[in-house]
Amino acid sequence: QVQFVESGGGLVQPGGSLRLSCTVSGRIFSIRVMGWYRQVPGKQRELVAQITPGGTTNYADSVKGRFTISRDYAKTTVYLQMNSLKPEDTAVYYCNGITDIFPWGQGTQVTVSS
């Protein structure tokens, strides 16, 4: 079983930055491509960034140029650096696999507001 623990969210003003962390435990070898997702109440969860084992990244158009995903194999942690945050980035952020989805963690709340 794979488990995710997300952290690093909070309240930030527009234009600010946050760094999210996702610690992965369990059968981590099962995961190849990792991703960060976000969800707003009443809307579907959307994929915002992904990273392959080789370090290739891909981003949703809405966050391209502002967000950076990275992974630390030694710490089994995936990060999401979020810069130039906008109110529309407000959501609960989760990490998970891409081709294989595991039980979701509790997520971390990001609120962008003045």
Side-chain angles (χ1 to χ4, degrees):
Q1 185 73 316
V2 176
Q3 295 177 325
F4 306 102
V5 178
E6 299 92 349
S7 62
L11 173 64
V12 63
Q13 291 187 341
S17 298
L18 283 174
R19 189 194 194 202
L20 306 183
S21 299
C22 172
T23 300
V24 185
S25 62
R27 295 173 59 239
I28 57 176
F29 61 85
S30 303
I31 304 176
R32 295 179 54 79
V33 184
M34 283 293 303
W36 276 98
Y37 301 76
R38 65 186 181 188
Q39 187 170 27
V40 176
K43 293 189 176 182
Q44 278 194 329
R45 191 170 287 156
E46 67 167 331
L47 176 65
V48 298
Q50 59 182 307
I51 185 168
T52 69
T56 299
T57 58
N58 198 21
Y59 300 91
D61 288 343
S62 58
V63 307
K64 200 171 293 184
R66 300 188 297 120
F67 289 11
T68 303
I69 187 171
S70 60
R71 65 196 299 176
D72 184 330
Y73 281 97
K75 297 180 181 178
T76 63
T77 301
V78 182
Y79 302 98
L80 186 67
Q81 177 67 43
M82 305 187 297
N83 299 326
S84 302
L85 282 162
K86 304 176 181 180
E88 50 264 43
D89 295 318
T90 295
V92 179
Y93 285 72
Y94 304 85
C95 65
N96 211 312
I98 301 296
T99 54
D100 294 291
I101 300 296
F102 298 90
W104 295 91
Q106 83 288 351
T108 186
Q109 174 71 49
V110 171
T111 302
V112 185
S113 175
S114 55

